[in-house]
Amino acid sequence: MAIIEKIISHSESETYKLSFGFGQQLEKGSVVCLFGDLGAGKTTFIKGLAAGAAGYPSENVSSPTFVYLNVYEGTTNIYHFDLYRLRDSDEFLAAGFDEYLHYDGICCIEWSEKIAELIPEDVITIHLSHVNENSREIIIQQGD
């Protein structure tokens, strides 16, 4: 997996600006998997991505921890998964969620390691990690 970009964000607003620009560059059909501990900034990143890619109001973006999926309708549909509570890929398949991986929108997945065998090879991964209370290291990689 090739590293596209590696940066340090010093605030939530910097993370938002980065992800907004990133979202503007995404193509329909993209699958973006986000990795990071709780509180690392995955949902903040998706807020900017949804605003940049779809013109979706960032204040309406929230992590779908208890429902697994939120759909943000805009110029491009954003399918936001949070699989933290998912048991395994069989549960994902049983719910019919695998279809979203092939829709004409952008699929963003938190905790995608639970369905690793279902993720397309050309996935984009975002790794967010704490540097300190306010700063995050963000590594963007492209699969293949």
Side-chain angles (χ1 to χ4, degrees):
M1 198 168 279
I3 293 179
I4 297 172
E5 190 168 2
K6 180 178 179 179
I7 66 156
I8 300 292
S9 168
H10 299 286
S11 67
E12 210 173 290
S13 64
E14 277 187 30
T15 299
Y16 180 88
K17 288 176 190 173
L18 167 74
S19 59
F20 184 93
F22 175 77
Q24 289 180 313
Q25 297 173 26
L26 283 176
E27 297 178 8
K28 289 183 180 182
S30 295
V31 176
V32 180
C33 294
L34 295 99
F35 297 89
D37 294 334
L38 293 172
K42 297 181 298 292
T43 301
T44 297
F45 196 95
I46 293 174
K47 286 181 178 199
L49 185 154
Y56 192 81
S58 61
E59 63 272 11
N60 294 341
V61 172
S62 62
S63 192
T65 304
F66 296 100
V67 294
Y68 298 123
L69 171 65
N70 285 340
V71 177
Y72 311 129
E73 295 180 356
T75 54
T76 298
N77 286 342
I78 308 293
Y79 308 110
H80 178 190
F81 285 94
D82 183 331
L83 304 181
Y84 181 76
R85 296 179 56 244
L86 190 80
R87 284 191 303 267
D88 55 31
S89 59
D90 289 337
E91 190 176 356
F92 189 82
L93 292 168
F97 289 148
D98 55 309
E99 294 179 17
Y100 288 90
L101 298 174
H102 310 288
Y103 280 177
D104 192 27
I106 296 170
C107 191
C108 299
I109 308 171
E110 299 182 49
W111 305 99
S112 64
E113 55 270 28
K114 299 203 176 187
I115 61 164
E117 66 276 9
L118 303 176
I119 301 297
E121 289 183 15
D122 61 344
V123 65
I124 299 168
T125 61
I126 312 291
H127 294 267
L128 297 110
S129 57
H130 292 88
V131 173
N132 59 42
E133 185 179 333
N134 296 315
S135 299
R136 304 291 184 264
E137 178 181 65
I138 301 171
I139 299 172
I140 302 172
Q141 296 177 293
Q142 176 74 50
D144 272 340

